[in-house]
Amino acid sequence: MTSKILDACAGPQVGTETLQEYIDSSIDPDPALYPMIGERPGMASDIAVFPPVTSLV
């Protein structure tokens, strides 16, 4: 695993960025967007890795 991100919803991100580069380019860190106590922008530790899709039924 090379820790590259593929995401069609936030960009697109096409597998050329590290986790931190992905977060920096796709998540707005403005505190005003997270007004509730305990809310925060996403972090690398929030990302879950799943096996790739290999077929569609």
Side-chain angles (χ1 to χ4, degrees), residues 33-54:
L33 298 173
Y34 308 96
M36 303 295 289
I37 294 173
E39 286 186 336
R40 60 169 173 71
M43 299 174 10
S45 61
D46 298 327
I47 295 174
V49 177
F50 296 96
V53 174
T54 58

Side-chain angles (χ1 to χ4, degrees), residues 13-52:
Q13 311 301 325
V14 295
T16 59
E17 300 174 313
T18 65
L19 288 176
Q20 192 58 55
E21 289 169 335
Y22 169 72
I23 289 168
D24 293 343
S25 68
S26 62
I27 297 177
D28 191 335
D30 182 355
L33 298 173
Y34 308 96
M36 303 295 289
I37 294 173
E39 286 186 336
R40 60 169 173 71
M43 299 174 10
S45 61
D46 298 327
I47 295 174
V49 177
F50 296 96

